[in-house]
Amino acid sequence: MCDSSSYEEFGGPARPRRVRSRRATLAAWAARVLLVVGAAAAPAAAQQGVIAGTVVRVGTLTPVEGAQVGVQGTRLGALTDAAGRFRISNVPGEPGAQVRLQVRRLGYQPAAPSVSVGTADVRVVLAEATVRLDEVVITGTAGAESRRAIGNTVSTISAPEAIERSGVGDVGSLINARAPGVIVTLGSGRTGTGPSINVRGRSTISLSQQPLIYIDGVRVVNDIGTGPRTQGGSNISRLNDISPEDIESIEIIKGPAAATVYGTEASNGVIQIITKKGQAGGKAQWNVSLRQGTQWFQDPEGRIPTNYAKDASGAIRTWNAVEQENQRGTPIWTNGRLQSYSASVSGGVPTVRYFLSSAYDQDQGIESNNHLRRYTGHANVTVAPNERFDVTGSLNYVKGRTYLGSDYGYSSFWGALYGTPLTDTTATRGFNIAPPEVARTQFENTQDISRFTGSAAFNHRPAPWFTQRLTVGLDDTNEDNQALAKFLPPEYRQFFSASGARGSLLQDIRGISFISGDYSGTARATLTSAFTSATSVGAQYYRKRYNISQVTGTEFPAPGLRAASAAATRLGSQDFLVNTTLGFYAQEQIAWNDRLFLTGGVRVDNNSAFGEEFKLATYPKVSASWVVSEEPFWRFGGNNTLKLRGAFGASGQQPDVFAALRSFQPVTGSQDQPAVTPQLAGNPELKPERGQELEVGFEAGLFNRLSLDFTYFNKHTKDAILSRPIAPSEGFPGSRFVNIGEVSNHGIELQARLQAITRERFGWDIDVNFGTAKDKIEDLGGLPFVAVPGLPQRHVEGYPIGGYWAKRVVSATITPGGGPTLATDIMCDGGPENQHQPLPCATAPVVFLGSITPTLSGAVSNTFTIGKRLRVYGLVDFKRGHKLLDTDAVIRCAIFRLCEANVRPEKYSPQYVGNVQLGSALSVVDQFIRDASFAKLREVSASYTLPEGLARTAGASRATLTLAGRNLHTWTKYPGLDPERRSQIANIGTFDQAVTPALAQFITTLSLTF
């Protein structure tokens, strides 16, 4: 990825400054405005020269879309369209004069052919880069920097390529399985929900695990788990507000060694989203994309279990919700329609370049009360009045409404999973609580979103040796989350209490504002013929502001009412949170012969959440990069490229906003007078968690076919924040947050690509990535353990964060035939302190049963190019080494006693029957903590470029049709509905309970270029 606004990127020398009068300057600006207007309407009447042609991929000679083609020595350029075509007008020089082009595209080796002015049939052949050392990245550096100079790994995702292959419709799916060590957890398959993202495993016990999100250099909200407060609606991620069609690339840095310049809050990694921009020199290019598809719950008959119960006569009866409703002609779930429409236009003249786009999405889930409508608009405009200065403005607006339906208690999955055959002839038809149509009538869980993100990036080059950049931005998000239970009609009141039948409203209105400013300046110097220096300084300012209003209204007096003000009982509250970070950094880089680079830097931060007695956090950084293959002694012919790299750095994560403050809460005092009482003790010495990481690795290219990117990382988080009880003598209840913990995390990452076959009529590319991550709590500050409330999870020294801990049943005596007592003489593991000798479960300790975080994740994809028109693609991703609490099984078997083991225990192992007997306590659920490893056929697609004559019938220069399937098959031993399901994604608690699984999808996309 290169910055298309940079004049020097095409090799142009700085021109001498001209001194103009004010009148001449105004006249020049007026002329430029007229030129822009004229260029937008029609081609220029007078042209100095034209260069046009196509950019194709070596071997298969298929078009390369989105390549940047520039004329060296000028700011003229163009982007190739979907057919690989480009056209550059106003090229200086007489016809036949020679000029040099600069052609670049993410993932390809740059080319610089010499062509004649006036040539209209230029063909530039780009070879895919096995190692992209000259690719420019912007994430984690003081300024845009080539890969050869950085000592840490940066994963880059080409969004247009990934979208064309897979048909993805959201950013979470765009990131999933495309970067090693980045774990995307989908949570729920409901339309409108979004994922959580974990980079290199877990490294904090009590704070957020989410990476920072930037759009074009501006910090934006990265909240997950938003939405209505009830019925499982809180699974919306702000990441999915961004339209994938607007993204050019995504850069991911994965830890403190790379994130030092981002300082406090960056310990979990940084995701930088870089949006598309226009190019000058060619005519306006229009792109239109039409997406139609369907999604469904795959194989419900085989995945929704049959429930068992004995009737009054002792006969065993069975009930399967899916079979029953299909026979009635009222299937529980139906296919949901997916549709999206987007259009964009880009182009410009040398002084002004633009990219404008708009998209509309309307998706329907598998239930009538789950659907969304969303509109997005995006604009990028770059103005470059001269060679020394340019400014890029970016505006993005999102508005939409999501109807989430409901998970948990009153959902169709809850009713179908926990229903009983003993009530199948009643009004419930066997479903737990109520039939599906009741909940869909009663509950309306919605989120309205209105979001504006704007930024301005000023690039100034006052001298050949000095560049500076200022980026300022605002991300303003307004959510209206409503959990509405309607006033029920008479036929549905029987399923609710008298109060519940009258309805209620829980409303959360959240206003979230992020303001950011980022300045950096870099001075470059040539020290000797071999050594160069780059000295950078910078400052960053972030301000987060949350304004939250919560309103509760219960019991409406009549049907049709929806406002809290119409309810009989009303409650309200308001919270206002502000967090500010101010940081400064300095960095020095020494380069030797453009192949050995040493970089050192330091960042100093202050944050408003730090304790009063802790002032500044300091984060150092040092890295080295050596392109060994460019040394004169390199003689390994098959190894075309080899870069060695290493980095050590630190960054942090600040405490919660009020964690350090001593606070009081209002109460009603004597004689009904207002008063206050102690609330939180606070901690004036509280400081941020500090992550420091060592990262080493290499990038290699072999035989011009195979690329390898390998990394080993070792991370330690010190001063981890924990809640520790305080003495009652202090006068404050509960506990205070203290820096007493330490966590370690280490692993490896590998990304490889093999160009197996590169022929003109056939190409085969294989992409593989995987990452490991093993976290361990090194120190809990003397605490024996920290429990996760309501779940069999604990933080224990020497074990993974949030691991599963429960009693393990080792033996039992089964009672044949079932009944109230399924098993007797149930014995549990006595634990290491008792040499694992069996003990009665009532006195046995809990033992470690597994990690909640995958220790291995990755993906394998294959791309086949057949001829010049057809491309076939498939991707399988996998996660291994973790466990998941199958709460559905606990509820069905141990609480509601609906499993076959409850009526025929002799068919099952004694250990399982013992869990069924005792599992309602949640301390004896070892048989329900399942291996959640899986591999999933995530994406399969075929893309066909229609013949040009057929495209021209629609007025287009190119048309591509893509047929894609997603989530089509899962290989797993997990017995629940889906090993990716999570009933909550916003905190450490991990369980699977009555949540919609990932849905299979089939999507057709037609892309047109004009």
Side-chain angles (χ1 to χ4, degrees), residues 163-181:
I163 292 170
E164 183 176 349
R165 288 181 178 181
S166 62
V168 295
D170 59 81
V171 178
S173 298
L174 182 61
I175 294 174
N176 182 50
R178 290 181 173 85

Side-chain angles (χ1 to χ4, degrees), residues 46-92:
Q47 297 182 352
Q48 292 172 286
V50 172
I51 297 176
T54 58
V55 178
V56 296
R57 177 186 178 185
V58 70
T60 60
L61 300 182
T62 50
V64 176
E65 180 184 3
Q68 296 181 344
V69 184
V71 179
Q72 193 176 63
T74 75
R75 285 184 286 116
L76 297 173
L79 288 175
T80 57
D81 62 18
R85 291 190 288 253
F86 69 91
R87 180 183 176 86
I88 303 175
S89 305
N90 302 313
V91 180

